[in-house]
């Protein structure tokens, strides 16, 4: 019933609708309508109530499953969970289909790469895509590169902002972090059982208060934007890229996902420091090879191939 009321408010497109009207349409009392609305407000939905009725604020930003094309994507929305990675992992293990998407309004234990905390307050776009590609684990990197490439493309297309990709998977705008990507994979019999791609995009939140090197779209554009539009545009872009990365030949035509990604990176040609749990390397980032490894021309002239790590621009 709660969802039906939310849907009714959504359908009225941000116009006020009276409690009596909702109660008649849904066959429940006005008091019951109010109780459900109260619950929705507690869950974080912005709904105003006045003598004329109820109004959903920012219907364009709503991320509820009924706002999406259910034929294309299986969207699961949670007002508050620990991490979309945890929920997605459970769902993937319990036979969630390929292209299931777990979205949260808030995460209490959002996590980043190298087990760092990821601040996930309301207003950001926090989601994980469950993928079940027919690929050997060694080629899973392609999905990560495709995801960051598609995110940069989406942001440029929708907002004309200069989004670039920092190796391996951060999205930067003017040197500040707008988004981060995290992937988790499980394998069976040398094939991928699932690979989950988590994306944290600062949209209408204000991350810079606690993270001086982070930025949100709202900070950049000075206005709130629709997270739903971003999610739909990104998913469509990503879905169209997926068939092209399923070529199982490591040297096959689809090594060009990296070539495409390189057009959006700000890393190549930069002086960088790469930190891993074992070492720190400095040098000039000269290339990213067809397996996604960063080629670093070290200060001693020797080239080093780096497959993971945290990248800092010098
Ligand atoms: C990073 O840059 O360190 C990666 C950040 C990834 C954050 C996203 S938010 C959605 C998903 N759920 C999480 O707990 N983490 C990822």
């Amino acid at each position: 019933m709660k969802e039906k009321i939310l849907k009714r408010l959504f359908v009225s497109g941000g116009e006020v609708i009276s409690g009596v009207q909702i109660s008649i349409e849904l066959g429940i009392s006005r008091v019951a309508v109010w109780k459900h609305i109260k619950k929705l407000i507690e869950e974080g939905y912005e709904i105003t109530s006045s003598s004329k009725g109820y109004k959903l604020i920012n219907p364009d930003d709503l991320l509820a499953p009924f706002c999406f094309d259910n034929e294309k994507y299986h969207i699961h929305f949670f007002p508050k969970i620990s991490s979309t990675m945890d929920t997605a992992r459970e769902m993937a293990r319990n036979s969630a289909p390929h292209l299931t998407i777990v979205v949260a309004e808030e995460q209490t234990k959002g996590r980043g790469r190298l087990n760092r905390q990821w601040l996930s307050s309301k207003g950001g776009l926090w989601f994980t895509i469950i993928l079940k590609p027919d690929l050997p684990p060694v080629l899973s990197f392609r999905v990560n590169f495709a995801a960051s490439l598609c995110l940069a493309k989406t942001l440029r297309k929708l907002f004309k902002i200069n989004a670039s990709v920092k190796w391996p998977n951060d999205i930067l705008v003017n040197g500040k972090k707008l988004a981060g990507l995290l992937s988790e994979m499980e394998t069976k019999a040398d094939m991928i059982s699932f690979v989950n791609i988590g994306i944290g995009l600062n949209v209408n939140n204000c991350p810079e208060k606690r993270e001086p090197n982070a930025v949100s779209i709202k900070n950049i554009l000075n206005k709130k934007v629709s997270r739903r539009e971003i999610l739909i545009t990104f998913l469509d872009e990503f879905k169209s890229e997926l068939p092209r990365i399923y070529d199982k030949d490591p040297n096959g035509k689809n090594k060009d996902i990296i070539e495409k990604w390189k057009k959006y990176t700000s890393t190549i040609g930069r002086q960088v420091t790469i930190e891993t749990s074992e070492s720190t390397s400095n040098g000039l980032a000269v290339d990213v090879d067809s397996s996604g490894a960063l080629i670093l021309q070290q200060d001693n002239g020797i080239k080093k191939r780096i497959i993971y790590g945290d990248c800092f621009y010098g």
Side-chain angles (χ1 to χ4, degrees), residues 83-85 107 109-113 116 118 126-128 170 177 180-182 198-200:
S83 159
T84 56
M85 299 309 283
Q107 300 183 115
K109 281 193 184 146
R111 56 177 191 273
R113 293 175 55 241
R116 278 188 294 247
W118 181 265
W126 323 124
F127 66 103
T128 300
D170 288 349
K177 183 156 166 170
L181 283 85
L182 174 71
I199 297 187

Side-chain angles (χ1 to χ4, degrees), residues 91-256:
M91 289 172 75
R93 285 177 182 162
N94 288 307
S95 56
H98 178 65
L99 281 175
T100 294
I101 294 110
V102 180
V103 191
E105 180 67 54
E106 253 182 292
Q107 300 183 115
T108 52
K109 281 193 184 146
R111 56 177 191 273
R113 293 175 55 241
L114 307 173
N115 251 336
R116 278 188 294 247
Q117 181 195 17
W118 181 265
L119 297 174
S120 320
S121 53
K122 279 185 198 162
L125 183 54
W126 323 124
F127 66 103
T128 300
I129 311 172
I130 300 173
L131 298 165
K132 299 196 163 170
D134 179 22
L135 273 180
V138 68
L139 295 181
S140 67
F141 71 89
R142 284 184 186 163
V143 205
N144 303 332
F145 280 83
S148 54
L149 162 71
C150 292
L151 188 57
K153 274 173 115 171
T154 298
L155 296 168
R156 288 187 190 192
K157 184 158 123 192
L158 290 180
F159 308 115
K160 314 268 172 295
I161 54 179
N162 188 23
S164 69
V165 195
K166 184 177 79 161
W167 183 89
N169 286 131
D170 288 349
I171 303 288
L172 303 186
V173 174
N174 301 330
K176 299 218 165 174
K177 183 156 166 170
L178 184 63
L181 283 85
L182 174 71
S183 71
E184 287 178 0
M185 178 171 69
E186 282 190 12
T187 60
K188 198 175 181 189
D190 287 340
M191 286 304 276
I192 295 174
S193 304
F194 61 84
V195 47
N196 290 348
I197 308 282
I199 297 187
L201 173 65
N202 296 313
V203 184
N204 297 322
N205 54 325
C206 298
E208 71 287 352
K209 286 187 190 147
R210 286 179 63 188
E211 301 266 4
N213 286 324
V215 71
S216 67
I217 299 180
K218 186 175 136 212
N219 298 148
I220 300 168
L221 302 180
N222 275 321
K223 62 171 186 186
K224 284 191 176 183
V225 297
S226 159
R227 291 173 299 170
R228 189 168 73 247
E229 187 185 22
I230 301 174
L231 185 55
I232 291 174
T233 311
F234 167 78
L235 290 174
D236 287 348
E237 186 81 46
F238 186 57
K239 197 174 172 213
S240 69
E241 200 62 61
L242 281 178
R244 286 198 277 277
I245 64 174
Y246 290 161
D247 179 1
K248 291 199 193 71
D249 175 359
N251 300 310
K253 62 178 179 348
N254 286 312
K255 67 181 191 304
D256 76 7

